């Protein structure tokens, strides 16, 4: 099989490689990878999208939106909370969730690739 998608000889631009490696060392890309890993779950992506649509939702609302039980929604919300993506507040017996970082909304919009109403 003829694969033209790789270099046929080994040759690299040392200046570019050193510059980009230096930039990589200054960034915390493990945090970025973890963020995408958490959002890679479809239900957690739905929750993030839902919270882009409305500033704050209770766990019961979220469960209904994603079509799950309250226990399943709570599990996903705990995961999102541990990663610093959502925050919550209690009001009596209800727990209300909202996005904890302004960076999620633009990510969701970009990932959808459309002018989303978020």
């Amino acid at each position: 099989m003829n694969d033209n998608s790789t270099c046929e000889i080994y040759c690299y631009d040392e200046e570019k490689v050193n510059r980009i490696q230096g930039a990589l060392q200054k960034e915390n890309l493990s945090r970025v990878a973890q963020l995408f890993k958490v959002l890679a779950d479809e239900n957690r992506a739905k929750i993030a999208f839902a919270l882009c649509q409305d500033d704050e939702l209770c766990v019961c609302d979220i469960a209904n939106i994603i079509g799950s039980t309250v226990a399943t929604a709570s599990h996903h919300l705990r995961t999102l909370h541990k990663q610093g993506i959502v925050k919550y507040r209690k009001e009596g017996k209800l727990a209300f969730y909202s996005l904890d970082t302004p960076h999620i909304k633009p990510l969701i919009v970009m990932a959808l690739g459309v002018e989303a109403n978020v």
Side-chain angles (χ1 to χ4, degrees), residues 27-91:
E27 300 298 331
N28 184 0
L29 290 180
S30 64
R31 175 90 172 107
V32 173
Q34 187 60 36
L35 170 67
F36 284 116
K37 196 181 298 184
V38 168
L39 291 176
D41 178 272
E42 187 174 354
N43 280 323
R44 289 192 289 269
K46 286 178 182 179
I47 291 169
F49 177 81
L51 291 171
C52 287
Q53 299 295 307
D54 201 287
D55 288 340
E56 189 177 68
L57 295 167
C58 84
V59 178
C60 300
D61 290 336
I62 292 169
N64 279 284
I65 289 167
I66 68 171
S68 77
T69 65
V70 171
T72 297
S74 293
H75 167 76
H76 289 301
L77 287 162
R78 272 191 303 279
T79 301
L80 291 166
H81 183 261
K82 284 180 193 171
Q83 296 303 317
I85 296 170
V86 298
K87 60 185 175 184
Y88 70 92
R89 68 174 181 85
K90 292 288 281 189
E91 189 174 294

Side-chain angles (χ1 to χ4, degrees), residues 7-12 17:
C7 294
E8 294 180 26
I9 61 168
Y10 183 74
C11 173
Y12 70 96
V17 170

